Amino acid sequence: MTARSKPKVDDVAKLAGVSTATVSRCLNTPDRVSEETRKKVEVAVEELGYTPNFGGRYLASNSSKTMGAIIPTMENAIFARGIQAFQEVLANSGITLLISTSGYDPEREFEHIQTLISQGAEGLLLIGAARPKKTYEFLERRNIPHVIAWNHRWDRKHIYVGFDNYFAMQELTNTVLRMGHRHIAIIAGPTTYNDRIEDRISGAQAAIEKIDETSLIVKFCPTNYSAIQAGQAFEELMELDHHRPSVIMCSNDVLAVGAIMQAKAMNMNVPDDISITGFDDIEIAEIVAPALTTVHVPHRRMGQAAAQLLLNIRAGKLDQKSIKLGTNVVLRNSLRHKT
Amino acid sequence: MTARSKPKVDDVAKLAGVSTATVSRCLNTPDRVSEETRKKVEVAVEELGYTPNFGGRYLASNSSKTMGAIIPTMENAIFARGIQAFQEVLANSGITLLISTSGYDPEREFEHIQTLISQGAEGLLLIGAARPKKTYEFLERRNIPHVIAWNHRWDRKHIYVGFDNYFAMQELTNTVLRMGHRHIAIIAGPTTYNDRIEDRISGAQAAIEKIDETSLIVKFCPTNYSAIQAGQAFEELMELDHHRPSVIMCSNDVLAVGAIMQAKAMNMNVPDDISITGFDDIEIAEIVAPALTTVHVPHRRMGQAAAQLLLNIRAGKLDQKSIKLGTNVVLRNSLRHKT
DNA sequence: TTATTAAATGTAAGCGGTTACATTTAATTG
DNA sequence: CAATTAAATGTAACCGCTTACATTTAATAA
């Protein structure tokens, strides 16, 4: 080993005066090695600052101790807390998490899936169920353990750890209707390959169809995470003169906050002049003024459960079942009775 | 290859009727292969859903196409935008980013550094310069390219891509002083192994020392990212009757938002009764009411520059220089002249 | 046409670990 | 004490890929 180059098992073995097999055993199955030699090896490892080469290890042992997650974006907090919890649980089992972002683009998601698998990911966390066939075919053909989070379905083809977006939004809409609102607008991100948004919109529609003399407009933003775009959508909605909505339901909290800001900019009072709701219950929902009525999603529990599930599969328990988590409507000041 | 097991180069080679070397060349240096055979190989790859095994590849080529980043936490937005930009730039060069979180714990950071290096990370993004000697010794001994972000120093021992926390906070404090405030309190997270906070506090102190008859109290929270803890600190500060501060400067925006919320809960008006400032200018700074006076940090540019720098080093340009980015005070409604 | 050179492809040796199996050493038992 | 068994360690094959070098094939020049 030249100075500065990475030390290898052979270097450690030589320094400790043992064979490479013994070094390897010290690192992986220390109880199969005598106290004495283990000490010697530990000293040598310390001395050299040795870290096993992942490539060699993965190749030889066929275990990467690595999981992958592909989320749409890190820029807003929607996925952060869940992923953090996911990572914590994995870390407790000595598993490294590789994270990539797809930017809501299924093509990029597919590429990243392939990259992560190449990197040795033993399982994947994916967001939502909507993706091209070829992605699923790849997962199936390669028999890759994967958990779909942030949504839940009853089909047995995949494992879900999520919640019922349809039901949750229906509940929220029922609450809105109970407060006397009859003309509702939704500001939503694009639904292409986003089943969560799709479900939320359908949920709202389902609630409304049960009540007479109601109207629902859906206004789409170009993206899912831009408060400013939501503001523009809000502005356009306010220009309607027929069935002008008295409440704006946004498909997530970020959009809702954008709507609130725009309302303020237009000198409208929330909730006196217009009610606004969100979805997710991320941190800003509590912070914005007025505080946001929204749907609380148990992000941390979702992340933890997803991690546990993948760990179980990794441990050979292949019969894992989907987990459906509950959500609940959180009433705050951005929504009030129609006057 | 049994059904369902991962296809290997040999499988592809066999199916395409070529040698493994040719397959490898098709994937890595397609221009060294004839049009015709490349087509054949591509078909075979597609047919089998082949993804090269990272372990083998890394081992043979000694290139992992991987960088690592260790950030304190993902749970708040302070690092999210910068890291996202960092990742985007890397992705454009075909480099995968591995992210880990240390939870502000230098011991965990050290472990994660080792893990990432084992995984083949060719360079690291680290946050701040404060960490135990042994961490630096490891980096040096193994000659690991690394960039320190979110802070900047003039020493030549490391490469920084960051900003001057001391100066930025000094500027903000000068602004506060210019508005007539003389009794100032700081709410800050722990400074152990957090040089950014340390610098910010010293910066404020430096500004104050130049002006007579001023006072500065520093109140520490147990953690860096809890709005609630900042609220408690705020409450305690308001109980002071000697030199009760007229402005609370928080060491980041999350804490500042916590302080604002607590003020509201105590029926105090911000900024009429008390001024509050933050640091970072993350999204909530604009959203909270009143909007937060804070220090704008160019997170995206910082992430991009750090990535570019690591890419340069990877390309053999070893003489990279630190980059100092500017910050600027953003005046919003949470700070006003002392009446 | 044959000699020379370039392009395309193949052969096989590692890259740095792990682990089945062989061997040595120590402990236990009849 | 020798025979048996268990524990500790060593030897060497192999994991999947890349690449230096060798070989074949095609193109060009003499």
Side-chain angles (χ1 to χ4, degrees), chain A residues 192-205:
Chain A
T192 41
Y193 289 111
N194 191 331
D195 53 341
R196 290 141 282 150
I197 305 293
E198 246 175 22
D199 288 358
R200 289 175 198 178
I201 294 174
S202 326
Q205 280 164 340

Side-chain angles (χ1 to χ4, degrees), chain A residues 4 6-7 46-56 58-59 66 73-75 80-81 83-84 87 96-101 114-115 117-119 138 140-143 257 261 264 284 286-289 300, chain B residues 4 6-7 46-56 58-59 66 73-75 80-81 83-84 87 96-101 114-115 117-119 138 140-143 257 261 264 284 286-289 300:
Chain A
R4 282 296 169 77
K6 295 192 183 185
E46 184 69 23
E47 171 83 16
L48 294 170
Y50 169 75
T51 349
N53 175 297
F54 173 78
Y58 173 36
L59 210 51
T66 287
T73 176
M74 302 198 326
E75 281 217 41
R81 210 180 309 184
I83 292 293
Q84 172 97 18
Q87 198 241 26
T96 313
L97 174 61
L98 311 184
I99 307 171
S100 286
T101 56
Q114 295 189 96
T115 308
I117 293 306
S118 293
Q119 299 256 6
F138 179 81
E140 198 177 340
R141 175 154 48 162
R142 293 287 291 271
N143 205 21
V257 167
M261 288 176 69
K264 279 188 197 164
I284 40 170
E286 267 186 281
I287 286 164
V288 71
R300 284 194 62 85
Chain B
R4 281 299 170 77
K6 295 191 181 183
E46 184 69 22
E47 171 83 17
L48 294 170
Y50 169 76
T51 349
N53 175 298
F54 172 79
Y58 172 38
L59 211 49
T66 287
T73 177
M74 300 199 331
E75 282 216 38
R81 212 181 306 182
I83 292 294
Q84 172 96 17
Q87 197 243 25
T96 313
L97 174 63
L98 312 183
I99 307 171
S100 285
T101 57
Q114 297 191 97
T115 308
I117 293 306
S118 293
Q119 300 255 4
F138 179 81
E140 197 177 340
R141 175 152 50 160
R142 294 287 291 268
N143 205 19
V257 167
M261 287 175 72
K264 278 189 198 161
I284 42 169
E286 267 187 282
I287 286 165
V288 71
R300 284 194 62 86

Side-chain angles (χ1 to χ4, degrees), chain B residues 8-9 24 28 50 57 60:
Chain B
K8 334 243 135 113
V9 252
S24 178
N28 301 304
Y50 169 76
R57 191 169 234 190

Side-chain angles (χ1 to χ4, degrees), chain B residues 161-172:
Chain B
V161 177
F163 53 96
D164 189 334
N165 285 278
Y166 178 96
F167 176 77
M169 191 67 168
Q170 194 177 23
E171 286 273 275
L172 179 61

Side-chain angles (χ1 to χ4, degrees), chain A residues 171-188:
Chain A
E171 286 272 277
L172 180 61
T173 311
N174 283 336
T175 306
V176 165
L177 290 167
R178 244 179 276 124
M179 290 198 174
H181 295 278
R182 286 298 172 268
H183 301 300
I184 298 178
I186 291 181
I187 295 179

Side-chain angles (χ1 to χ4, degrees), chain A residues 161-235:
Chain A
V161 176
F163 53 96
D164 188 334
N165 285 279
Y166 179 97
F167 176 77
M169 191 68 168
Q170 193 177 26
E171 286 272 277
L172 180 61
T173 311
N174 283 336
T175 306
V176 165
L177 290 167
R178 244 179 276 124
M179 290 198 174
H181 295 278
R182 286 298 172 268
H183 301 300
I184 298 178
I186 291 181
I187 295 179
T191 56
T192 41
Y193 289 111
N194 191 331
D195 53 341
R196 290 141 282 150
I197 305 293
E198 246 175 22
D199 288 358
R200 289 175 198 178
I201 294 174
S202 326
Q205 280 164 340
I208 278 174
E209 275 165 14
K210 288 196 197 125
I211 310 286
D212 288 338
E213 317 242 333
T214 55
S215 75
L216 178 68
I217 310 166
V218 182
K219 188 109 203 162
F220 290 103
C221 294
T223 67
N224 247 302
Y225 42 81
S226 164
I228 290 166
Q229 287 170 5
Q232 288 163 354
F234 179 86
E235 198 172 358

